[in-house]
Structures are given as structure tokens and as C-alpha cells.
Amino acid sequence: FTRGLNVGSDHFTDYVNNYNVPQEVYETISNNEMRLFKTTPEAFIPISRKATLFSNGRFVVKDYKTDKVIPNHPLIKALENPSPLLTRNEWLKAICINFHVFGNVYIYKNLPNPFTSPFNVRLPILPNNDIKIKTTGKNYKQWEKSDIIQHYELISNHDIILTDDMIHIKSYSEDGIKGMSVLEPNQMPISNARAGHGFNNVNLSKKGALGLITPTGGDAIGVKNMTEETQNTLEKQFTETHGIFDGQTPVKFSKQPVDYKNLNYPIKDQMILETNEDTMRKLVDSIDLNMNIFSSSKGTTFNNGDAFLRSAYVDAIIPFSELICFAIGSSLNLFDQGIYIELDYSHIPALQENQKDVATNAKVKSEALQGLVSIGYTTEQAEQLLGITQE
């Protein structure tokens, strides 16, 4: 956005209504991330969709050595009620949105007292714009996080949060302290999309006259100006007599030689829709999703849609869930207790095998097994040939 419109300010509205307002120098998106997210559909739609898919996961606690689920573990109760203000699904959505919009998620590890069980915990998410990080100035010879980050501070009330009491999850970070918003590398495409929406809005709602009716012809001294009487007559006929409604005629014959000049700027020639779609595609790629799971004029078949959704979970949602679960588990010292947490998505229909295909495959293998046994193979040999394993 260098030397462009500050799309994160209220001046954007002025820009839509008036091309002549002074432009501001806008070098970064810092402190404007949430406004850009909320007012740019090309960013809001894909990030919100990923947050929704991510929130479909169900927490499970597993044994670190056997990877088996530990049913009814007391930590599940805390994870299902992470905050007094947010349900599990809302909490997971907030984590995903904060991570991508700001590049950072700040979760306060709220334990009633130092001696309480780590499974009796609340995990409220703190607002990004209210967090200040106090560092020691040292960051590469230190062994402990507290030797690098002294503490976190809430700007609104100056509350100090100890380093060990904050679960700080971040995206790529240049300094290892704060993560980078996914909007950062997409500044130019976002700027283009917002300018396209503004241009389109001006043309649709603020354009004024659609065209000019001007006199043509003339004599040796040039074209004569249209008289006021002729102008009034033409305006009245243009607005009242001619049109497509009852009592109006779509055709006009004029005794005055006139010409019509269109004042509408050809929006199609600006390729605004293509520009905005390209912006959204870049945001979608940035968060590891694919464009095929979003509404499109081309559309997809049901089977293809299921495959694309499965790909979204495998390529984006599950890896992201592992990042979040590892950060939470590490902060709660779960690994020292021989357990870890995981978000399970096996109940999602797109991730389940097609039951008809499974049944058909089982029938084919059964018939092939019988055929091999009938010609002299043992059952074990036949199963080995067919790749059948006994549970």
C-alpha cells in the first residue's frame, strides 16, 4: 500500500465518494489487520471458512506411548469449556482467525492457584491489540523462554502476565517473538481488491449522469448550441415519454440533429471481477486451502466437492490442528505426564471412506479368496496374495 489509500482508515469512505481527497502514505498493515479482515471479503471469506472447518474438530486425549485414546479424561472437560464467554467451537474459530489475521494467538493459562491440577484450567483468548511484549533484549544464547520474554502486559489495564502463564502461538516470525499476519504478504492484492470494490461502488451509486445528448451537424461556422426550449423538451421526453414501461415508447425520433455520448466507464474492461478473484485465490493459497471449496460460477460436482473438501482437511486443517494442540499440550506439560491432545476429524463425512466402495471391495476379495482356495492355495497363502490382514 505504499503511497496509496489507507484502506484501514475512515478515509476509505471519503475516497469512494470523492476521488480528490488527499491520499495518505500507508506502508504496512500494522494495527489495521482486523479492519482489513472485516471489510475485505476476499480475506474474510477464506479465513472464516478455514476457521469453521477447524472448529469441527473434537478434542481427544491420547496416551503418548500407545497413541490410544484415554476416554473420559478430566482435561476434556476443560477443553470443552475453555472460556466463560466462548464455547469450544467459538474458541477454536477465534484461535484460527487470530492466528491468520494477526499472526499471533495469546491464550491466558488461568489456573485457580499454583497447586491446582493442570486439567482444571480456563484458557481465554486475549485480544491482539491489547498485548504488549516486554523482552530482555537477548534471544539466542538463552535456554528458557522467560530469559527472552520478561512478561506480557495488557495495555488496557497494565496487568502483567508471566511468560509461563501465556500460551503464545505464532505463525512465521522473523525475530521469534511475534508472528506475521497472512495479510502482510498480500498487501498489494488486497489493495487492488479494495480499490476495485471502491471503483465499482462509485460507478454504481455515485456516478451521476449516464450520458450526454449533444447537438450535431451545423453550418460553416460550426455546431449551434441547443436552445433552452429544445433542451427542456428533450429532457422531458427522455425522462417521461420514452422508456420500457406502460405508456412509454422505447424509440425516439428527433427533429434536432443530436448525438449521445455514454459517460459510464466500462467496468468490464477494468477486469475488476478477475482482479478480486485473483486476490482471493492468493489468500486461499496463503492459508493452504483450495479455491474449489468456495462458491464459483463454474461449480463442482458433488463427488469432486467431497474430494476437494477432503484435501482441505488433509492439507490445511489437520496440520494446523497439530500446531495448536502441540502448543497447548507443551504449555500444560502434558508430555511429562505421558499424554497429549489431538483434534479428531474422523467424524467428518468427507474424511470417511465410501461405504459402498468398501462393501464392493470386500465382496470382490472374498470371492477371490474362495477361488484361490478352491485351486489348492491355503487360506493363509490366499490372504497374503490378496493383501488381506486379520485384525
Side-chain angles (χ1 to χ4, degrees), residues 12 190-202 267 272 275-276:
F12 183 74
I190 290 174
S191 179
N192 292 340
R194 293 179 69 90
H197 286 300
F199 178 85
N200 206 9
N201 181 269
V202 168
I267 296 177
I272 293 175
T275 297
N276 291 0

Side-chain angles (χ1 to χ4, degrees), residues 97-123:
I97 290 174
N98 273 276
F99 182 89
H100 290 96
V101 174
F102 294 100
N104 298 275
V105 184
Y106 299 101
I107 302 175
Y108 175 49
K109 189 167 58 176
N110 185 12
L111 293 165
N113 60 69
F115 305 103
T116 190
S117 166
F119 308 139
N120 181 27
V121 63
R122 285 289 183 266
L123 301 167

Side-chain angles (χ1 to χ4, degrees), residues 21-292:
V21 295
Q23 291 188 333
E24 300 178 10
V25 176
Y26 189 49
E27 300 290 351
T28 71
I29 63 166
S30 299
N31 303 318
N32 293 280
E33 296 94 342
M34 183 51 67
R35 178 175 174 80
L36 288 175
F37 168 69
K38 293 192 298 184
T39 59
T40 309
E42 288 76 14
F44 181 87
I45 292 172
I47 293 175
S48 296
R49 182 68 190 280
K50 183 173 182 179
T52 298
L53 297 178
F54 173 64
S55 71
N56 289 331
R58 298 172 179 171
F59 279 110
V60 293
V61 176
K62 291 187 173 182
D63 184 278
Y64 188 77
K65 293 182 178 179
T66 65
D67 290 328
K68 291 184 178 180
V69 174
I70 303 174
N72 303 318
H73 193 281
L75 180 57
I76 293 296
K77 182 179 179 180
L79 294 173
E80 290 294 322
N81 299 276
S83 167
L85 298 177
L86 300 175
T87 65
R88 178 199 66 191
N89 293 71
E90 293 170 336
W91 186 72
L92 290 174
K93 284 184 180 179
I95 287 176
C96 189
I97 290 174
N98 273 276
F99 182 89
H100 290 96
V101 174
F102 294 100
N104 298 275
V105 184
Y106 299 101
I107 302 175
Y108 175 49
K109 189 167 58 176
N110 185 12
L111 293 165
N113 60 69
F115 305 103
T116 190
S117 166
F119 308 139
N120 181 27
V121 63
R122 285 289 183 266
L123 301 167
I125 300 172
L126 304 180
N128 263 266
N129 57 9
D130 197 28
I131 297 294
K132 182 166 65 175
I133 303 176
K134 176 65 175 177
T135 63
T136 64
K138 304 173 184 179
N139 60 8
Y140 67 95
K141 289 186 176 180
Q142 286 58 49
W143 282 66
E144 301 295 334
K145 185 177 179 181
S146 57
D147 294 330
I148 301 172
I149 298 177
Q150 289 185 17
H151 60 256
Y152 297 83
E153 180 181 345
L154 290 178
I155 299 172
S156 58
N157 57 16
H158 303 293
D159 273 359
I160 301 298
I161 298 178
L162 299 179
T163 304
D164 290 340
D165 291 337
M166 182 74 83
I167 304 175
H168 181 189
I169 308 171
K170 54 185 173 292
S171 63
Y172 167 74
S173 173
E174 292 184 84
D175 60 5
I177 304 297
K178 292 194 69 174
M180 181 181 71
S181 167
V182 74
L183 306 182
E184 189 78 40
N186 290 287
Q187 290 185 63
M188 294 304 292
I190 290 174
S191 179
N192 292 340
R194 293 179 69 90
H197 286 300
F199 178 85
N200 206 9
N201 181 269
V202 168
N203 273 273
L204 294 174
S205 63
K206 303 291 182 181
K207 190 65 184 72
L210 300 177
L212 291 174
I213 298 177
T214 59
T216 61
D219 50 27
I221 63 173
V223 179
K224 295 181 180 180
N225 290 334
M226 188 180 298
T227 66
E228 185 176 350
E229 180 181 358
T230 301
Q231 179 180 337
N232 291 336
T233 300
L234 288 172
E235 286 182 355
K236 182 177 181 181
Q237 291 176 343
F238 189 77
T239 57
E240 298 178 10
T241 306
H242 301 282
I244 61 173
F245 300 105
D246 293 341
Q248 293 181 324
T249 174
V251 181
K252 172 176 175 53
F253 297 94
S254 174
K255 297 179 181 180
Q256 172 79 22
V258 294
D259 188 22
Y260 178 79
K261 291 182 172 56
N262 186 12
L263 295 181
N264 273 331
Y265 202 85
I267 296 177
K268 183 178 180 181
D269 292 349
Q270 295 299 302
M271 299 185 70
I272 293 175
L273 294 178
E274 291 81 358
T275 297
N276 291 0
E277 181 179 348
D278 182 66
T279 298
M280 182 165 165
R281 187 180 301 277
K282 286 181 171 58
L283 262 298
V284 168
D285 288 342
S286 297
I287 60 176
D288 300 317
L289 292 180
N290 62 76
M291 283 291 288
N292 296 293

